[in-house]
Amino acid sequence: EKHAIWWIFIALAVLVCSFFPSIIDRIGRYLGIHYPPIFLLVIAACLILIKLLSLNISISDNEVKIKELAQRLAIMEKKLTDIKKDEDTSLK
């Protein structure tokens, strides 16, 4: 869902820019850019960097969660083997 909203926003922005290309020219002139279409490349590069940063943050969070789950699983397996050993010794 997080990624879908991101791509919908990008698609809408591209759609608006394609229907009204003069918007880019006006913004470029306002910012003092001599070749306004380069403004699109700068914005695209910034958006890609932001997206990469958010993906890296998400990956880091997932790695932490995976590590915690692996540790919990190891603890549960240890408890299970201990219970089985206790049952085996009590049956003898």
Side-chain angles (χ1 to χ4, degrees), residues 17 21-33 36 39 43:
C17 289
S22 62
I23 292 173
I24 300 301
D25 293 334
R26 288 182 191 154
I27 294 172
R29 275 187 250 124
Y30 177 75
L31 295 175
I33 299 172
F39 177 66
I43 294 298

Side-chain angles (χ1 to χ4, degrees), residues 20-77:
F20 306 106
S22 62
I23 292 173
I24 300 301
D25 293 334
R26 288 182 191 154
I27 294 172
R29 275 187 250 124
Y30 177 75
L31 295 175
I33 299 172
H34 295 287
Y35 185 63
I38 202 71
F39 177 66
L40 286 175
L41 293 176
V42 171
I43 294 298
C46 290
L47 289 175
I48 288 171
L49 289 175
I50 291 169
K51 184 64 176 169
L52 286 173
L53 179 63
S54 70
L55 286 175
N56 281 339
I57 291 170
S58 176
I59 288 170
S60 296
D61 289 342
N62 287 340
E63 286 176 351
V64 169
K65 289 177 184 176
I66 289 170
K67 184 178 178 180
E68 288 175 1
L69 287 173
Q71 290 171 347
R72 287 182 182 179
L73 179 63
I75 291 169
M76 292 178 82
E77 286 177 346

Side-chain angles (χ1 to χ4, degrees), residues 77-91:
E77 286 177 346
K78 174 69 172 138
K79 287 181 180 180
L80 184 62
T81 55
D82 290 345
I83 291 171
K84 284 182 180 179
K85 284 181 185 177
D86 289 343
E87 286 179 356
D88 289 342
T89 56
S90 66
L91 291 176

